[in-house]
Amino acid sequence: MPDLIDKRDRATLFRSRLAQAMAQRGMSQAALARATRADRSTVSALLAAGVRLPNAQLAADCAASLGVSCDWLLGLTDHPEPVAELLAASVRLTEAPRALFDAEMIQWHREAAGYKIRHVPATLPDMLKTPEVVAWEYADHLGRSADQAVAAFEAQLDWMRSARSDYEIAMPLHEITAFAQGSGYWTGLPIEARRAQMDRLIALTDALYPALRIYLFDAHSVFSSPVTIFGPHLAALYLGRHYIAFRDPERVQSIVHHFDWLVRAAPFGVRGVIDHLSALRARMDQ
């Protein structure tokens, strides 16, 4: 049960926050009285020392006139922004390109410099793909050329090589198995391209450790939609045509816990991944 605030303390807090909001808006007592259609003496009384608190109507009118939350004025929250503004700032639906190398996504990587970036890719991690796989996968969807997509993914890889951020990538086992077999989503991708991609994936997984750590989870036990977590401040859930970006710490932390759950349940983690990838690669030559 939340702690109750003494009326005298709430009145003091209301008076302080009302004066703060008026100062920030440059609003005088007379202007606030006009905006709320209250007597100037009533507004003056609210700002005077004592235990005077407004009724619900006046509190709501003051909050609306000053562009703040009524709950904040009354000490029920520490966030002065109205709920609608908080939601707009913390959750945003943004159109996503087929290949996620748009300027905003790149900027998110830059903002997360020094933090761990956690990623569940939609297929294979874009920055680890060969040019042939990029061209095959995105040729029909890219507004820009495949060469530009490859350059953007290479820039992301260089960013990781510079040790600006650590990357943890969790992939479902069935995705990498389907790739090695050329089945499902990967039907039609030539075996030569798949061999070269598997060689590149193995080489980079080995060379970039520990800055890059890959885990393979079993989707029969755990499951995840494509998502990227940029440190403690942002998580982007990929939907296909759009992604949902979360910035409020509580939701970001919940998605971090989700990713950690995938890692804990993964039968192949860090060094074991290379052995599994190598075994799949060997079967591709049979």
Side-chain angles (χ1 to χ4, degrees):
M1 182 177 179
D3 294 333
L4 297 179
I5 302 177
D6 183 271
K7 182 178 180 179
R8 289 167 295 184
D9 294 333
R10 192 181 299 281
T12 299
L13 185 59
F14 176 86
R15 184 167 64 250
S16 172
R17 289 184 170 181
L18 181 64
Q20 176 185 337
M22 290 172 64
Q24 289 174 344
R25 286 274 176 168
M27 185 175 286
S28 66
Q29 293 186 27
L32 182 60
R34 288 193 300 271
T36 59
R37 299 178 183 176
D39 293 336
R40 184 171 177 177
S41 59
T42 300
V43 173
S44 180
L46 292 177
L47 292 165
V51 294
R52 177 73 181 271
L53 283 168
N55 59 33
Q57 180 66 44
L58 183 53
D61 289 343
C62 287
S65 300
L66 294 166
V68 296
S69 160
C70 187
D71 283 352
W72 177 74
L73 284 178
L74 292 169
L76 300 176
T77 178
D78 291 328
H79 300 287
E81 302 87 353
V83 172
E85 291 184 14
L86 283 173
L87 288 175
S90 62
V91 182
R92 188 159 58 92
L93 184 68
T94 305
E95 187 171 352
R98 175 66 178 87
L100 292 180
F101 66 99
D102 64 318
E104 186 167 34
M105 180 66 73
I106 293 171
Q107 180 58 33
W108 288 348
H109 280 272
R110 300 297 187 266
E111 289 177 6
Y115 290 110
K116 182 187 296 184
I117 295 177
R118 301 168 172 91
H119 180 47
V120 180
T123 56
L124 300 182
D126 282 334
M127 65 180 175
L128 304 182
K129 290 173 182 171
T130 64
E132 293 76 16
V133 170
V134 172
W136 179 86
E137 189 172 5
Y138 296 133
D140 295 337
H141 304 278
L142 290 171
R144 298 179 246 185
S145 70
D147 289 343
Q148 287 176 298
V150 170
F153 297 150
E154 288 289 348
Q156 187 177 341
L157 184 60
D158 289 341
W159 178 261
M160 184 177 65
R161 282 190 173 116
S162 68
R164 301 292 182 88
S165 297
D166 285 350
Y167 280 74
E168 286 190 342
I169 299 175
M171 299 169 52
L173 273 166
H174 69 264
E175 185 67 37
I176 194 64
T177 300
F179 180 84
Q181 296 172 345
S183 62
Y185 176 83
W186 301 105
T187 300
L189 179 61
I191 181 65
E192 294 80 8
R194 289 188 284 111
R195 285 171 177 156
Q197 175 62 77
M198 191 66 80
D199 289 340
R200 175 179 170 86
L201 187 58
I202 293 169
L204 288 176
T205 301
D206 184 49
L208 297 176
Y209 177 83
L212 170 65
R213 297 184 291 279
I214 295 181
Y215 304 86
L216 299 175
F217 62 86
D218 185 352
H220 289 96
S221 303
V222 293
F223 177 79
S224 180
S225 299
V227 65
T228 305
I229 309 163
F230 301 89
H233 304 304
L234 173 67
L237 181 65
Y238 181 54
L239 302 179
R241 291 185 60 192
H242 299 83
Y243 49 78
I244 303 176
F246 300 94
R247 284 193 177 273
D248 60 299
E250 185 175 350
R251 285 184 176 84
V252 173
Q253 193 58 38
S254 294
I255 299 174
V256 168
H257 291 327
H258 163 77
F259 186 93
D260 291 344
W261 171 65
L262 298 177
V263 168
R264 286 195 303 271
F268 298 100
V270 191
R271 307 307 294 178
V273 166
I274 292 181
D275 293 337
H276 184 70
L277 295 178
S278 298
L280 290 175
R281 174 63 180 88
R283 287 198 287 272
M284 295 170 71
D285 289 332
Q286 296 175 358

